Amino acid sequence: MSTNQRVPAAEAEGGGDAPDARRLRTVLIAVSLALMAVIASVSGLNVAQTHMAVEFGASQGTVLWIINVYTLALSALLLPLGAVGDRLGRKPMLVAGLGVFGVANVAAGVAPSAEVMLAARVAGGAGAAMIMPITLAVITSTFPEEQRGKAIGVWTGVAGGGGILGMFLSALLVDAADWRTLFVLPVVLVAVALALTLKSVPDSREMPAHRFDTVGALVSAVAVVGLIFVLQEGPERGWTAPETLTGLAVGAIAAVGFVAWELRRRDAALLDVRLFRERGLAGGSVTLLVVFGVQAGFGVVLFPFFQAVLGWSGLRSTAALMPMAVMMMAASGVAPGLAGRTGPRAAMAVGVALAGAGMTLMALFVSLDGGYLSILPGMLATGIGMGLSMTPSTEAITGSLPRAKQGVASALNDVTRELGTALGIALLGALVAGGYRDGVDDRLRGIPEGPADTAREGVANAVEAAGGAGPYAGDLLHAARQSFVDGWQQGMWAGVAVMAALLVHVVFRGPGGGIRAGADGAPDGTPG
């Protein structure tokens, strides 16, 4: 399928010998730290929204753009820069990405205005897009077959749990010091990762027989920007707002155009879309899309529950997510062994079933009186399930594309995660908000119109309005908090239905034995 010629994966300074076990560990630490820096920066600024609004005199819309533009730039550039890394060399691309990302975070840390902060976040997103796909491509092109699954398990554990860990450390920095110290964490991670990369990461690159697919790269970027813009801005601007509909039209047309162009390019395509006929690529992509959508949607539910319903601080709320993150990362490490014994389809099915069971537990037992303990068992089961499903899904994607396209395979894996994240936040957030509105009206009867109208906007608004509700404060808070629990249950049951549909898909259409790229750069197996 591919005529690309491959340079040996272990080509390193001083010779072409394969790295020994010690060097492989260093390589894994380097790419994991680099990935952690990127993932932590996706969600870290969420804990500093109020601080940025006050210091920059910025509106809530501007603050949200400061947060979201990073993800927008990252998602749009993943596929093109992943392909460029395959061609120019994965180590040079990783080094360059770490440099750009580090400088961008320093600039963000000292930004004097919202405009400078926005520019720094765009640059940070571009640097992250140079880093993220290359970290996984380095693993798939460096680690021998028998060790690759465990290394990918570590990578997926960091990708899944790194965001929660990053938010915890960010909240700790904001509480202990100043919100600008948020940018110290990624800079330190990048500095260590850069030193380890320069010392230990071997270079690998491809000798492509075709010219770079510039048109495909540009059209893919437009498609991703359009679709993620809709998912990010739809809840704020309204799903029928002109900007939202325009973004949807642009994204959809570009996505269709990308598929048509790539089918025409065939072997010279940026992404050979014909491979989606194979179970490995299709099953892995769908599973990651749904699993990361559910994980991101959890943040929409859990943080307001901890802060507005239970009255916890941002730091304590983030710490409450750590058990789920730990279970997710631990299960990601166990998943390769399970997949090796049972096959990737069975491992993915077990993971999806456990995640669905965890959401069922939360939907059944969440309560205002039960608090954190009413949802903890469900959180743990969901974390384990996600960890078990992510690693074989990632391996299914990277194993479905030839070695010459590992940067693209890794980028596709990352784009799928980002789209799933945006989709989960938008849809689960809308369901929870709708459930809250449906339940709160009847409970606000007898409460003065002013505080009641504020409470209808959301549970966080209700907590703020309670301060001026006088003797009605207790009733207003109880009404809002119980209504949020109702919305929680509605969102969780929707998530259970989605996971059930995914389980059916995995059982009947999940990857079988998978596809492993051969030395000539083409897949040497058959679809499972």
Side-chain angles (χ1 to χ4, degrees), residues 69-145:
V69 76
Y70 172 85
T71 305
L72 204 62
L74 166 62
S75 304
L77 296 174
L78 279 168
L79 273 177
L81 292 180
V84 170
D86 283 336
R87 289 169 172 256
L88 298 184
R90 290 157 188 143
K91 180 174 182 175
M93 178 63 80
L94 181 56
V95 170
L98 289 168
V100 171
F101 186 78
V103 171
N105 274 275
V106 171
V110 299
S113 66
E115 292 76 15
V116 174
M117 177 65 83
L118 279 167
R121 292 286 285 174
V122 171
M130 299 167 73
I131 295 169
M132 198 171 182
I134 300 303
T135 57
L136 184 55
V138 165
I139 290 174
T140 57
S141 63
T142 302
F143 280 74
E145 178 78 20

